[in-house]
Amino acid sequence: MEILELIRQPWPWYIAGPLVGLTVPALLILGNKSFGISGTLRHTCAMCLPASIPFFTYDWKKEIWNMFFVLGILIGGIIAFSFLSNPDPIIIDPNLRTELATYGITNIDGMLPEQIFSWENVLTLKGFIMIVVGGFMIGFGSRYAGGCTSGHSISGLSNLQWPSLVATCCFFIGGLIMANFILPFILSL
């Protein structure tokens, strides 16, 4: 199998998981840094808003590595999408396809269903709740939890931090409640 073709295929969990997991000790060993993404918004605000807001008054230059890390993720995502995308439609379970069709979601060839995630849908009640309110809740939740899923579930758990275990359990419970109870209600609007 050609190397480019190998890269284009989805990687199994037993390869992708350890690669992500090895990022944490690499950051700790090479730079004494913790893995996490949500703090980047704070660094960006501190960099761009030279106001006297106490939350943004700190030496953000010590955390500039995080900005380069996130920039690398963004560039890597653009490269992967542009050159390494799998052209085949996404394979989902037929039962899920049938259930989504009952909510009017029939075009599920890409990563995001167009019937939900499009500029036209932002102006609908369903789209506003899913895109705007959902985005706000993710931002608020990551700030309230003191970090995002990558910071708590990958970095915090590997460092044996009790708050990260609690946050990760809450992420999973919230995800189960959302997927099984709240999302079907929102999709039926």
Side-chain angles (χ1 to χ4, degrees):
M1 180 181 278
E2 193 177 314
I3 190 96
L4 191 57
E5 189 61 31
L6 180 67
I7 293 173
R8 284 186 175 164
Q9 299 302 316
W11 291 8
W13 65 267
Y14 52 84
I15 293 175
L19 286 175
V20 171
L22 289 173
T23 304
V24 174
L27 280 171
L28 284 172
I29 292 168
L30 297 175
N32 198 24
K33 305 293 182 191
S34 272
F35 179 74
I37 303 299
S38 61
T40 308
L41 178 60
R42 181 180 183 208
H43 306 321
T44 304
C45 291
M47 190 180 346
C48 298
L49 302 170
S52 297
I53 301 170
F55 185 69
F56 298 130
T57 307
Y58 67 98
D59 189 10
W60 56 267
K61 292 176 185 172
K62 289 183 179 178
E63 302 297 327
I64 196 72
W65 72 272
N66 196 272
M67 301 300 286
F68 286 107
F69 186 77
V70 171
L71 183 65
I73 291 172
L74 179 66
I75 292 170
I78 291 170
I79 290 170
F81 178 78
S82 301
F83 303 110
L84 302 173
S85 291
N86 187 345
D88 300 330
I90 294 176
I91 300 169
I92 64 169
D93 186 83
N95 294 332
L96 178 59
R97 186 178 296 273
T98 304
E99 183 180 350
L100 289 173
T102 63
Y103 298 117
I105 302 168
T106 55
N107 184 2
I108 41 182
D109 294 334
M111 292 297 288
L112 300 172
E114 290 179 12
Q115 286 98 351
I116 299 174
F117 300 101
S118 66
W119 288 108
E120 296 84 26
N121 283 337
V122 172
L123 302 176
T124 66
L125 179 62
K126 180 185 349 182
F128 184 81
I129 290 171
M130 297 214 31
I131 297 170
V132 177
V133 175
F136 174 79
M137 296 294 284
I138 288 173
F140 175 79
S142 66
R143 180 67 209 133
Y144 187 71
C148 59
T149 53
S150 61
H152 279 300
S153 301
I154 297 172
S155 185
L157 287 180
S158 66
N159 291 325
L160 304 175
Q161 295 178 359
W162 173 254
S164 292
L165 178 62
V166 173
T168 301
C169 291
C170 291
F171 294 150
F172 275 96
I173 292 168
L176 288 170
I177 291 170
M178 177 64 186
N180 291 298
F181 301 109
I182 301 172
L183 183 62
F185 173 74
I186 293 172
L187 289 177
S188 65
L189 292 175

